[in-house]
Amino acid sequence: MYGVVLEGGGAKGAYHIGAYKAVLENGFDVGAIVGTSVGALNGAMIVQGDFDKAYELWENVNYTDIIKANEEEIDRLKDIRLTKEDLRILLNKLRDVIKDGGFDITPLKNLLDQHIDEEKIRNSKVNYGLVTVNISDLKPLKLFKEDIPYGEMKNYILASCYLPVFKKERISGKFFLDGAYYNNLPFDMLVEKGYSDMIIIRTNALGIARRVPIEEYNIITIAPSENIGNSFTYEKNIAVQNIKLGYFDALKEIKGLKGNKYYFNPLGEEYYFDLLKNVKETTLNSLAKTLNITEETNKRLLFEVIIPKVSKLLELKGNYDYEDFVLNLVEVLLAYYEIEKFKIYDFKECLEIIKKQPNLIIPNQTNTLDKILEKANITNVFRREDTMLNVAYDFIKDIEVQYGD
């Protein structure tokens, strides 16, 4: 049985919903959900059996669902940046955190009143927990549903979400602060309950997130493969995009899909190695010219010089393999031709898609500055994109011909 952790992150919470959709579809047996801030809110709706309602809410989210404000105040909210220095100040001076001013969050309270069902949460077979900080008592709180006083569930969910930019207001007679200022990724709550199998859904939001000891537990970590925006940007189009991203990022981790920005069914490194070792000499010559390589072109040069150099341009990190290498080249072309991202692709399908696109026409020129930069081992940022497109096009067109054979 798995425990699920939902990291805080305000508007980034749309990502949770997409990711959890993939968790549901793949039949995971979930016994507990813990979360901080928006993770506590999303977690509550999931535990009470209202995932579909949560999905609909995020598909239509707006600033007016969270705060009562005019356009000028909303613009101010968009510009808020809570830095690491803010965290240090807040943790050192908790009594001074809440000021008399701030945003009116009556809409958020109304949303909780309308959509949170305490009875459903308490009666659910899935346990539920949240994190908040009691400023009045200078005490962080990690609470499971059985620890929360009866009738106070909505208040404690609100307390977990309570940012210092909100208006000063007592909750159950106390002042509270968003749980992100103590523990934005409360996997330890699951450990305390005896869980060793966990699904951690991240947002990479600012907050205190303790290191997850992945070597000690069976953990599936789902994290954004690209920037999912500001924690204060409650806009429908961004939320919808983040739901899709969460869904496909989760499928990537669950099903072992490959790719960086796109999603591919895996074929294995050996398959791609066979494709690379059959690259034609004419293609090697073209690649060498594009990359300013003057050595004699042969298959050894391909694996010892060309591929490492291209991998550096692709910014491949860690222990990448030949499958990663080829698929990243494919992604360069898919992105250039603006091919739909949110789909699981077969490699051959991608070749067919690229084949149908207009021929790539990019000047392949070198000049004195390029040569100087090359000798100095400095990437000319003004040529990098064109170079990568040319390299990707040469590689993939060669492989496409191999398929044709």
Side-chain angles (χ1 to χ4, degrees):
M1 186 171 287
Y2 280 81
V4 174
V5 184
L6 302 177
E7 185 173 25
K12 298 183 179 189
Y15 185 85
H16 295 154
I17 299 302
Y20 200 80
K21 181 182 180 209
V23 170
L24 285 174
E25 289 179 353
N26 284 274
F28 285 90
D29 187 9
V30 174
I33 298 178
V34 297
T36 298
S37 191
V38 72
L41 173 56
N42 284 338
M45 293 197 69
I46 293 169
V47 167
Q48 70 186 34
D50 287 328
F51 172 78
D52 290 341
K53 286 185 180 179
Y55 196 102
E56 183 180 351
L57 282 172
W58 278 106
E59 278 190 313
N60 297 282
V61 72
N62 204 316
Y63 288 98
T64 55
D65 297 322
I66 309 300
I67 61 171
K68 185 177 181 180
N70 55 39
E71 289 186 12
E72 181 181 345
E73 289 172 323
I74 289 173
D75 287 340
R76 184 157 56 94
L77 180 64
K78 291 180 185 179
D79 292 335
I80 288 175
R81 298 289 185 273
L82 296 179
T83 66
K84 290 183 179 179
E85 182 60 30
D86 293 328
L87 287 176
R88 284 190 287 269
I89 292 172
L90 289 169
L91 291 171
N92 289 332
K93 300 181 179 180
L94 287 176
R95 286 194 179 92
D96 299 326
V97 168
I98 300 178
K99 306 301 180 184
D100 291 332
F103 292 101
D104 182 346
I105 58 168
T106 298
L108 175 58
K109 290 186 285 185
N110 291 338
L111 185 148
L112 292 174
D113 286 338
Q114 183 178 355
H115 295 288
I116 297 300
D117 189 321
E118 180 167 349
E119 288 300 321
K120 284 185 178 180
I121 293 172
R122 291 192 183 278
N123 293 329
S124 173
K125 293 180 180 179
V126 181
N127 206 345
Y128 169 72
L130 58 77
V131 179
T132 186
V133 179
N134 182 333
I135 297 176
S136 298
D137 298 335
L138 295 179
K139 182 180 180 182
L141 300 174
K142 299 187 296 182
L143 304 171
F144 280 95
K145 60 184 180 182
E146 60 267 25
D147 304 318
I148 297 172
Y150 194 86
E152 296 291 325
M153 188 71 68
K154 294 174 188 176
N155 285 336
Y156 276 88
I157 293 171
L158 180 62
S160 184
C161 301
Y162 215 96
L163 288 167
V165 295
F166 295 159
K167 280 187 177 180
K168 179 179 179 179
E169 187 173 327
R170 293 181 187 273
I171 301 174
S172 300
K174 305 282 186 178
F175 290 125
F176 288 87
L177 180 66
D178 191 304
Y181 292 96
Y182 172 67
N183 189 355
N184 207 26
L185 196 67
F187 71 92
D188 56 319
M189 293 181 69
L190 295 178
V191 172
E192 291 167 9
K193 287 289 185 180
Y195 283 87
S196 57
D197 298 328
M198 298 180 230
I199 299 170
I200 296 179
I201 304 176
R202 305 216 54 179
T203 60
N204 295 333
L206 185 68
I208 295 176
R210 290 163 174 77
R211 187 187 75 83
V212 179
I214 56 175
E215 65 281 354
E216 297 178 24
Y217 304 99
N218 174 33
I219 295 178
I220 298 172
T221 301
I222 301 165
S225 58
E226 60 184 56
N227 190 320
I228 58 174
N230 191 310
S231 295
F232 301 101
T233 307
Y234 292 93
E235 296 178 4
K236 177 180 176 179
N237 62 324
I238 296 175
V240 169
Q241 182 79 1
N242 286 342
I243 290 172
K244 291 179 182 178
L245 187 70
Y247 178 72
F248 280 90
D249 283 352
L251 288 180
K252 181 178 179 181
E253 294 302 320
I254 293 168
K255 293 180 175 292
L257 303 179
K258 302 293 288 187
N260 183 21
K261 298 295 185 182
Y262 285 75
Y263 307 90
F264 304 94
N265 284 315
L267 292 173
E269 181 178 22
E270 185 176 348
Y271 177 87
Y272 290 94
F273 174 74
D274 287 341
L275 291 176
L276 290 170
K277 73 182 183 182
N278 289 318
V279 168
K280 293 180 171 54
E281 185 176 350
T282 53
T283 301
L284 292 178
N285 289 332
S286 178
L287 290 167
K289 182 179 179 182
T290 300
L291 297 166
N292 296 328
I293 296 172
T294 57
E295 300 171 52
E296 181 181 353
T297 53
N298 52 45
K299 291 299 169 64
R300 183 174 177 178
L301 183 72
L302 170 65
F303 289 99
E304 294 184 358
V305 179
I306 293 177
I307 289 177
K309 189 165 188 175
V310 174
S311 297
K312 188 174 181 180
L313 286 172
L314 287 169
E315 298 181 343
L316 294 181
K317 298 176 182 177
N319 298 320
Y320 70 88
D321 59 23
Y322 294 123
E323 184 168 27
D324 298 323
F325 175 77
V326 174
L327 292 180
N328 269 264
L329 290 173
V330 172
E331 289 185 336
V332 169
L333 296 177
L334 293 178
Y336 175 78
Y337 290 122
E338 298 181 345
I339 304 302
E340 170 62 35
K341 172 189 171 103
F342 294 118
K343 179 180 175 180
I344 299 175
Y345 288 97
D346 290 320
F347 180 63
K348 188 172 183 178
E349 178 187 9
C350 291
L351 295 183
E352 290 296 325
I353 291 171
I354 293 169
K355 184 177 181 179
K356 294 176 182 178
Q357 306 306 315
N359 289 335
L360 196 68
I361 303 176
I362 297 177
N364 187 3
Q365 302 175 359
T366 59
N367 55 36
T368 304
L369 176 59
D370 292 331
K371 292 176 180 178
I372 293 172
L373 291 169
E374 182 69 22
K375 289 180 179 178
N377 197 28
I378 300 173
T379 301
N380 183 347
V381 294
F382 300 105
R383 281 194 71 241
R384 182 179 176 277
E385 183 176 347
D386 287 355
T387 299
M388 284 315 311
L389 281 168
N390 271 313
V391 168
Y393 194 76
D394 283 345
F395 263 119
I396 301 309
K397 281 298 179 181
D398 191 311
I399 291 172
E400 179 191 302
V401 170
Q402 292 181 46
Y403 265 92
D405 293 342

